[in-house]
Amino acid sequence: DVPELRALIGEVAAEQLERSGSDDPRGVSAALRVCFTRLMKSEKKFFVDQLNMLVKRISQEVAEGKDTSGSNGDLLLRLHSQYPGDIGCFTIYFLNLVRLEPGEAMFLGANEPHAYLHGDCVEIMACSDNTVRAGLTPKFIDVLTLCEMLNYTPAPSSSKIFPAAQSQLDPSVYLYDPPVPDFAIMRIEIPASIKLYLISAMDSASILLVIQGTAVGTSTAAASEMSLHRGSVLFISANESISLHLSSPDEMLLFRACCLL
């Protein structure tokens, strides 16, 4: 439906993708791999010309009051204004556009392409030294490695989003437990009415991030009291608990990254 993108990937690849049906997941994945690889390996002058044509067309349609949602027009124009001439502007047609509401989370497995577009989030990931970028970045882009390593299995965005589960032991704790053993994260909401709160000990070490509120923390492992406020980060050893003496009139919001052993 986007002729400028079709020109980049070529008729053969486009038709291969159109012929692949939902009853043939391998065929769809293979077709997506071909299309994405053709896009990313496009000659720069060619894809810049096509991108400029696309931006001009969408801009004209917006000026005429036409609906451009089918081409993700608003997103395309915003990304192009931030990264003009960047091939990453075309990748929006391979990805799901996901809007997360406050309190929602999403899990992305290894080799799944993604881009953060707007807003604030708390991210946790396993130890990694192999981030490979496709575009929309001033950093190094490794096209060959990227195209080879990506997971091309399609899935709806709803399959990636999951809510937090409120702890039965502590109603202030909401657990985000992804389908991997490497990590989990807790959202801790301490009401303003509570002035003394105990962060329980765990079998693993953890990292505490303060988003809102102020408190003084004490621990048997710490040599002195710890002043905690927005932006504070605290390392908590395994089997260590932290007592928080809250000093803010508002609730306190914390995130705790950990591993559930």
Side-chain angles (χ1 to χ4, degrees):
D1 296 333
V2 182
E4 297 84 0
L5 174 62
R6 193 180 186 99
L8 285 175
I9 64 176
E11 283 298 317
V12 174
E15 291 174 1
Q16 180 183 351
L17 181 59
E18 289 173 334
R19 288 195 305 269
S20 59
S22 58
D23 57 342
D24 181 18
R26 290 188 177 182
V28 175
S29 297
L32 282 172
R33 176 187 288 271
V34 171
C35 289
F36 188 79
T37 301
R38 288 292 301 273
L39 168 67
M40 296 304 298
K41 291 184 177 180
S42 300
E43 183 184 34
K44 184 171 183 178
K45 184 181 184 306
F46 186 36
F47 82 68
V48 169
D49 288 344
Q50 293 298 321
L51 179 57
N52 289 337
M53 291 171 57
L54 174 60
V55 170
K56 181 179 179 180
R57 178 171 66 84
I58 296 297
S59 297
Q60 290 177 341
E61 292 178 359
V62 170
E64 295 169 359
K66 295 181 179 179
D67 181 11
T68 62
S69 58
S71 299
N72 278 335
D74 291 344
L75 177 58
L76 172 74
L77 295 181
R78 176 153 60 91
L79 293 180
H80 187 261
S81 69
Q82 296 170 339
Y83 298 94
D86 193 306
I87 197 169
C89 294
F90 278 111
T91 62
I92 62 175
Y93 301 116
F94 288 87
L95 307 177
N96 294 296
L97 181 58
V98 184
R99 291 181 174 87
L100 288 177
E101 298 297 328
E104 286 186 328
M106 67 184 302
F107 171 75
L108 295 165
N111 300 329
E112 292 189 20
H114 57 279
Y116 299 111
L117 299 176
H118 177 74
D120 297 320
C121 68
V122 175
E123 180 186 22
I124 181 173
M125 63 186 293
C127 293
S128 171
D129 63 355
N130 62 348
T131 299
V132 181
R133 297 173 178 86
L136 303 178
T137 175
K139 299 180 180 179
F140 176 69
I141 297 174
D142 188 344
V143 172
L144 295 179
T145 301
L146 175 82
C147 294
E148 181 64 28
M149 69 184 288
L150 284 188
N151 174 10
Y152 293 94
T153 304
S157 59
S158 58
S159 67
K160 307 295 181 182
I161 299 175
F162 63 100
Q166 188 173 23
S167 170
Q168 296 181 346
L169 301 177
D170 184 347
S172 295
V173 175
Y174 298 82
L175 175 65
Y176 299 91
D177 189 12
V180 291
D182 305 73
F183 51 77
I185 194 164
M186 298 176 180
R187 187 178 84 242
I188 305 174
E189 299 178 352
I190 309 173
S193 57
I194 296 179
K195 297 304 178 185
L196 180 62
Y197 181 82
L198 179 68
I199 296 179
S200 303
M202 298 184 64
D203 293 334
S204 72
S206 59
I207 298 173
L208 190 72
L209 172 63
V210 180
I211 300 296
Q212 177 181 316
T214 57
V216 174
T218 57
S219 165
T220 54
S224 60
E225 293 182 339
M226 299 165 287
S227 178
L228 302 177
H229 48 80
R230 177 180 172 85
S232 295
V233 180
L234 182 65
F235 175 79
I236 304 176
S237 302
N239 303 313
E240 177 187 6
S241 60
I242 304 290
S243 295
L244 295 182
H245 299 265
L246 280 69
S247 55
S248 173
D250 303 318
E251 75 168 12
M252 194 164 194
L253 176 61
L254 313 165
F255 283 90
R256 185 180 190 182
C258 59
C259 178
L260 301 178
L261 300 178

